[in-house]
Amino acid sequence: MALFFDADWFDERLARRGLSRAVLAASTGLSEADLTQVFKDQRTLSAGQVTIFAELLGETAADVAAHAGVSTPVPGRPAGSDARIADLERRVAALEAEVARLRAP
């Protein structure tokens, strides 16, 4: 993980894609001044912005976060998603069992 925002890494990926910093700013809803602060390591990115950067640059979110500085979050599943998925799986299983019961002769 980079200690500071690795502007050269980002600029290189932008150049490979034929994109500018202005496109990066616009895609994340940042002003160009705000993006300049990000590149100077004076502002951090949100997990959502990391995801957008990754999509635009053709990189993984983990790579983008690693080059964006130590305080940058790596996007992941929302908090509580494991419990919600488990609850949904239980509900689907109950529905499947009820359908099987109704179809039984």
Side-chain angles (χ1 to χ4, degrees), residues 2-81:
L3 184 56
F4 299 105
F5 190 88
D6 189 350
D8 292 337
W9 186 87
F10 285 93
D11 284 334
E12 180 182 315
R13 266 86 189 153
L14 285 169
R16 285 184 192 172
R17 294 279 192 156
L19 300 172
S20 66
R21 287 185 181 185
V23 170
L24 204 54
S27 68
T28 57
L30 293 170
S31 69
E32 289 188 49
D34 288 339
L35 186 67
T36 297
Q37 287 184 326
V38 170
F39 271 66
K40 290 181 178 180
D41 207 31
Q42 297 172 345
R43 180 183 175 134
T44 59
L45 296 171
S46 69
Q49 290 165 331
V50 168
T51 300
I52 293 168
F53 276 33
E55 289 174 11
L56 283 174
L57 300 176
E59 300 289 339
T60 66
D63 283 341
V64 168
H67 288 277
V70 295
S71 61
T72 305
V74 177
R77 291 196 300 201
S81 63

Side-chain angles (χ1 to χ4, degrees), residues 85-99:
I85 289 169
D87 179 55
L88 289 170
E89 288 173 341
R90 281 190 298 275
R91 292 170 66 190
V92 167
L95 289 170
E96 288 173 337
E98 182 65 14
V99 168

